[in-house]
Amino acid sequence: MTRIAASPFPGDPPITPELVHDHNLTDEEYGRIIALLGRTPTFAELGIFSALWSEHCAYKHSRPVLKTFPTTGPQVVQGPGENAGVLRLPDGWAVAFKIESHNHPSAVEPYQGAATGVGGILRDVFTMGARPVALLNSLRFGPLDQARNRYLFAGVVKGVGDYGNCVGVPTLGGEVDFGPSYGGNPLVNAMCVGLLKERDLIKAAARGVGSVLLVVGARTGRDGIHGAAFASEELTHASEQRRPQVQVGDPFTEKLLLEASLALIQSGHIVAIQDMGAAGLISSSAEMAAKGGVGVEIDLSLVPTREPGMTPYEVLLSESQERMLVVAKPDRIAAAQAIAARWELTATPIGRVTDDGMYRAKWKDQVVVEIPGQRLIDDCPVYQPEATEDPEIAERRTAHPAPSTQHLAPGEALLTLLDHPPIASKRWVYEQYDSTVQAGTVLGPGGDAGVLRVPGADFGLAVTVDCNSRYVRLDPYEGGKAAVAEAARNIACTGARPLGITDCLNFGSPERPAVFHQFKESCRGIADACRALDTPVTGGNVSFYNESPAGAVDPTPVVGMVGLLSRVNRAVPSHARAIGDVVFVLGRTQAELGGSQFWEVVHGFVGGMPPRVDLGAERRLVDYLVTAADAGLLRSAHDCSQGGLGVALAEVAMRGPYDETGFGLDIDLTAYASPLAAHDLLFSESHGRAVVTCAPERATAVAALAQELGVPAQRVGTVGERGGTVRLLLRDATVLHTVDRLREVYFSSIDQRMGD
């Protein structure tokens, strides 16, 4: 086919250095574009390169590092490179899952920013042919004593809840943390998990010359234009002006789109489907063409719009929500449209697959974009920035808090920690989410991991998200390992075997050597932990430029993990369940208060060497928890993490927020880790530990299995009466609180700060 040079659309601005700069393209990148095209780009082409060569779409600073992740294994059906990763389950089932960020939009418009983040991650999963069955989220905000942080927190939680609730997908878990670094730049990461039969998997590669491109779903508006570019720059005081670039969601249309998309996939009328997410139509169409090794030709004047006078530039770059791009077989158009109409949606033909490899967009008869399609995707520059640790961090690792002028007894310190928002119950958050819709929930929010049953099967899935950014800040390698290890412990505490992860890597600017050092080292830690625990990385998201005038956020590589529970009826909850049950502590506690909540809350100090992760010990603990649960030995299991053993024991005793009361505990720690002082023993955050309970007649078997699998296990006490006293006997102190007092502090902390 003869190439026709693209020409500017009437009214387009001239291409000037200032306009190029406004599109976040460097001089070198613009020169690369000129060389690729052999001419000056049109305004629409400039917008295309700005979007597809943004950090958010192109991963131009992170791609070489991401290639170091383990991504294969017998359980992997689809690794990185598609809308979502897919892992193999028994009986022909598979699980699709993905996590992504919507940080910058949520910073300027928290409700819609969070809601559309949920909508986008849902579409990533159902475009694989999977029905979404669970949502999770990882949220970070500044301290709640500041009004703006409370406003952002409330808006984000409501946005997440409203969207998921309206679509009808349960929110089964998540995490919420607070810290000063997130005050100017909150983090909103959304994860979705879906189920499919492996045979029904569909991918986003356009194929079949003459196949027709259909836009399915909502009409295109001007909301979200330059959203991908916005996500690839630092937040400033002027970012509030970017509010119009935040998409607006409609969960009811999303539900229709979900059902229509799954029906189209099942019908056999289509060959590929792709969400119009970041960078909208341009991203979906160009990436589908490149994956299939074909060209596409689109007539932008045919795209249904909801605003008059939209230009080619705006139609290409709009990130309006609830839209899908479908590649349909040419003789099945009417049938595909009939399926869309059944769900009250339109399916509009806008273009076709070609054999010349060009990405071509027209407005009626005028060609406004013509770019070699494969090179548009593949020729994006890849950078390898300098990576050097900040000397201040290295110094902080060796520091200790000054002697405290106010010494808190262990019992008072425990209450102080339970009242601290990062540790306290997140009931205020998850009670706004529907966690039981679809009737598949076995264990909901508030425990170690959410658990759901697979329809018609004996097995289930456990799902979680985890990251301790304090560890990553102080030692990014150990912090990366810790994120995977904690996720694996949380999954295993339910009795499930960890299968694989998706990650959302939230950092500041990669152009700062100290930030890129954090990124590289934490990824190295994640990779090593995934190899040790046999949990390959199936995909995810990199979110750079999480900075504000106050500085960068703490490095926050969030890990989302799924696990297989072979017998879902043996799912293990995290709270004590019966009077007289025996309590064991698994793993070793060492004097590791570096990076701990105890040092931060009680001493006002963030520093020290964070606890080291022994990956061999973590693997043995996972094996033990899975084996013990499958044998029916455990009544409950709860991992030790933030706040240490003291907080873990309190959480085991307190039970859930909707229980009338908890159980007392009678715990004797005088023979456990005996050289440690009380504060070290109770509040060290050593990894590889869990608290389990069992029926008295199972105690011998619990101890014997631990010895067989090489897991340290100490019998430390029993579960007491309902509404009783939690008594922790130490060598040099005794902690004594009624369980109702612990519940009052723990479950009311965030409510009180939010004024509820």
Side-chain angles (χ1 to χ4, degrees):
M1 184 179 291
T2 304
R3 286 189 58 176
I4 305 170
S7 59
F9 190 71
D12 280 353
I15 307 301
T16 64
E18 291 75 22
L19 189 65
V20 172
H21 181 265
D22 288 344
H23 281 72
N24 288 334
L25 291 164
T26 66
D27 292 342
E28 179 186 350
E29 289 169 346
Y30 184 63
R32 199 178 187 120
I33 293 167
I34 295 288
L36 190 158
L37 296 176
R39 56 176 169 79
T40 300
T42 65
F43 184 47
E45 289 171 334
L46 186 70
I48 287 172
F49 281 107
S50 172
L52 293 188
W53 286 14
S54 68
E55 185 65 46
H56 189 77
C57 291
Y59 296 89
K60 55 190 178 184
H61 289 92
S62 59
R63 204 180 308 171
V65 176
L66 299 180
K67 288 180 179 178
T68 65
F69 285 155
T71 59
T72 60
Q75 70 270 50
V76 177
V77 178
Q78 176 63 57
E82 277 289 338
N83 289 298
V86 180
L87 296 175
R88 185 168 288 111
L89 300 175
D91 301 337
W93 285 96
V95 55
F97 65 117
K98 177 80 172 292
I99 188 169
E100 283 204 339
S101 62
H102 232 223
N103 302 336
H104 284 22
S106 302
V108 300
E109 216 314 300
Y111 180 85
Q112 290 294 352
T116 52
V118 173
I121 201 65
L122 282 165
R123 292 192 296 277
D124 279 342
V125 165
F126 68 72
T127 53
M128 303 299 294
R131 177 169 293 278
V133 293
L135 289 165
L136 300 95
N137 48 75
S138 174
L139 312 176
R140 300 288 196 283
F141 303 93
L144 290 178
D145 57 1
Q146 297 174 22
R148 176 162 178 78
N149 294 331
R150 294 194 298 273
Y151 157 74
L152 292 171
F153 181 38
V156 164
V157 170
K158 184 168 176 55
V160 168
D162 284 359
Y163 204 101
N165 295 352
C166 290
V167 176
V169 180
T171 299
L172 287 193
E175 58 167 4
V176 185
D177 203 353
F178 305 90
S181 79
Y182 305 109
N185 194 134
L187 301 183
V188 177
N189 296 176
M191 177 175 167
C192 181
V193 179
L195 288 170
L196 71 157
K197 286 292 188 175
E198 189 176 332
R199 65 175 181 268
D200 295 331
L201 174 67
I202 189 169
K203 300 182 182 181
R207 53 187 170 84
V209 173
S211 294
V212 177
L213 277 63
L214 303 173
V215 173
V216 180
R219 289 178 171 267
T220 297
R222 290 189 170 95
D223 53 320
I225 293 174
H226 281 309
F230 179 33
S232 305
E233 61 186 51
E234 298 173 18
L235 289 173
T236 67
H237 294 301
S239 294
E240 189 69 20
Q241 300 171 13
R242 307 296 292 266
R243 189 179 293 266
Q245 292 170 359
V246 177
Q247 308 93 327
V248 178
D250 177 358
F252 301 104
T253 300
E254 179 94 348
K255 173 61 173 175
L256 298 175
L257 186 62
L258 186 162
E259 299 298 344
S261 297
L262 292 179
L264 284 167
I265 293 166
Q266 289 286 333
S267 72
H269 300 324
I270 70 173
V271 297
I273 184 169
Q274 172 85 5
D275 166 38
M276 290 195 214
L281 175 58
I282 171 56
S283 176
S284 55
S285 55
E287 290 177 359
M288 290 174 87
K291 286 178 182 177
V294 295
V296 294
E297 182 171 294
I298 298 171
D299 185 345
L300 299 172
S301 70
L302 300 176
V303 176
T305 58
R306 64 168 183 260
E307 299 181 49
M310 289 188 69
T311 66
Y313 180 97
E314 292 171 327
V315 172
L316 280 166
L317 294 175
S318 168
E319 294 184 10
S320 293
Q321 297 291 285
E322 293 86 40
R323 299 179 303 155
M324 204 67 69
L325 187 64
V326 170
V327 180
K329 298 173 183 177
D331 58 344
R332 308 284 184 88
I333 305 305
Q337 289 176 319
I339 290 174
R342 191 183 310 154
W343 296 100
E344 303 176 16
L345 299 174
T346 58
T348 306
I350 65 164
R352 61 190 179 87
V353 174
T354 64
D355 62 359
D356 64 356
M358 299 301 295
Y359 184 85
R360 185 177 296 106
K362 305 188 301 181
W363 190 273
K364 298 182 179 176
D365 293 329
Q366 181 186 356
V367 176
V368 293
V369 172
E370 187 171 83
I371 306 171
Q374 200 72 45
R375 294 185 64 190
L376 172 62
I377 302 300
D378 294 345
D379 279 16
C380 175
V382 176
Y383 300 110
Q384 301 200 33
E386 180 185 350
T388 308
E389 184 173 35
D390 183 347
E392 181 184 338
I393 296 297
E395 184 177 336
R396 183 167 284 271
R397 271 201 304 274
T398 65
H400 289 74
S404 177
T405 55
Q406 179 186 8
H407 177 75
L408 283 184
E412 288 305 306
L414 177 60
L415 289 177
T416 301
L417 286 169
L418 292 177
D419 183 56
H420 187 46
I423 289 178
S425 168
K426 307 307 184 294
R427 177 187 64 179
W428 186 91
V429 176
Y430 59 71
E431 70 182 0
Q432 299 185 50
Y433 304 154
D434 190 334
S435 60
T436 59
V437 65
Q438 297 189 19
T441 301
V442 177
L443 297 177
D448 286 61
V451 174
L452 60 97
R453 61 177 56 87
V454 174
D458 294 330
F459 61 89
L461 287 176
V463 292
T464 189
V465 290
D466 289 288
C467 178
N468 188 316
S469 60
R470 296 160 187 80
Y471 298 162
V472 187
R473 177 184 174 191
L474 293 169
D475 188 328
Y477 174 69
E478 288 295 330
K481 287 164 59 181
V484 178
E486 184 179 351
R489 289 197 304 271
N490 282 330
I491 293 289
C493 278
T494 70
R497 169 76 61 184
L499 285 181
I501 77 162
T502 177
D503 53 46
C504 196
L505 309 174
N506 306 272
F507 291 82
S509 169
E511 297 161 43
R512 294 173 49 195
V515 169
F516 203 69
H517 169 81
Q518 294 171 335
F519 174 73
K520 285 185 67 175
E521 284 297 289
S522 63
C523 287
R524 185 168 69 91
I526 289 171
D528 283 354
C530 285
R531 290 187 187 95
L533 297 172
D534 192 22
T535 54
V537 182
T538 64
N541 173 225
V542 178
S543 178
F544 280 138
Y545 300 102
N546 289 291
E547 305 209 6
S548 69
V553 299
D554 283 349
T556 312
V558 174
V559 167
M561 183 177 284
V562 298
L564 173 63
L565 186 60
S566 60
R567 287 193 276 186
V568 72
N569 62 340
R570 293 199 169 176
V572 180
S574 59
H575 308 127
R577 298 168 66 193
I579 299 168
D581 276 358
V582 177
V583 181
F584 283 85
V585 176
L586 307 177
R588 300 189 188 282
T589 300
Q590 303 177 73
E592 295 181 298
L593 289 173
S596 68
Q597 289 285 0
F598 175 74
W599 270 5
E600 180 173 358
V601 175
V602 176
H603 293 279
F605 175 79
V606 178
M609 182 71 73
R612 298 288 178 172
V613 181
D614 180 337
L615 291 173
E618 296 285 355
R619 180 64 184 256
R620 291 189 292 275
L621 179 62
V622 165
D623 290 342
Y624 173 84
L625 290 167
V626 173
T627 304
D630 192 58
L633 297 181
L634 304 181
R635 198 98 80 174
S636 73
H638 181 40
D639 92 308
C640 296
S641 54
Q642 292 196 98
L645 180 59
V647 167
L649 288 166
E651 289 173 336
V652 169
M654 289 185 292
R655 294 180 57 80
Y658 307 114
D659 292 302
E660 290 184 6
T661 186
F663 288 100
L665 288 181
D666 191 7
I667 303 296
D668 184 349
L669 295 172
T670 57
Y672 176 73
S674 57
L676 298 183
H679 291 98
D680 288 315
L681 177 56
L682 286 183
F683 307 122
S684 164
E685 296 181 6
S686 294
H687 296 295
R689 297 179 299 159
V691 176
V692 300
T693 65
C694 67
E697 62 271 19
R698 300 295 179 91
T700 299
V702 166
L705 181 64
Q707 184 174 18
E708 177 187 340
L709 297 181
V711 175
Q714 179 80 31
R715 181 171 177 165
V716 296
T718 56
V719 177
E721 297 286 335
R722 286 186 178 273
T725 297
V726 174
R727 173 177 172 268
L728 310 180
L729 180 63
L730 313 171
R731 282 191 311 114
D732 49 358
T734 300
V735 173
L736 203 65
H737 291 297
T738 66
V739 71
D740 288 336
R741 173 60 176 150
L742 298 178
R743 285 173 57 88
E744 176 189 4
V745 172
Y746 182 74
F747 289 116
S748 67
S749 169
I750 292 180
D751 300 63
Q752 290 179 352
R753 286 167 171 83
M754 295 301 291
D756 293 346

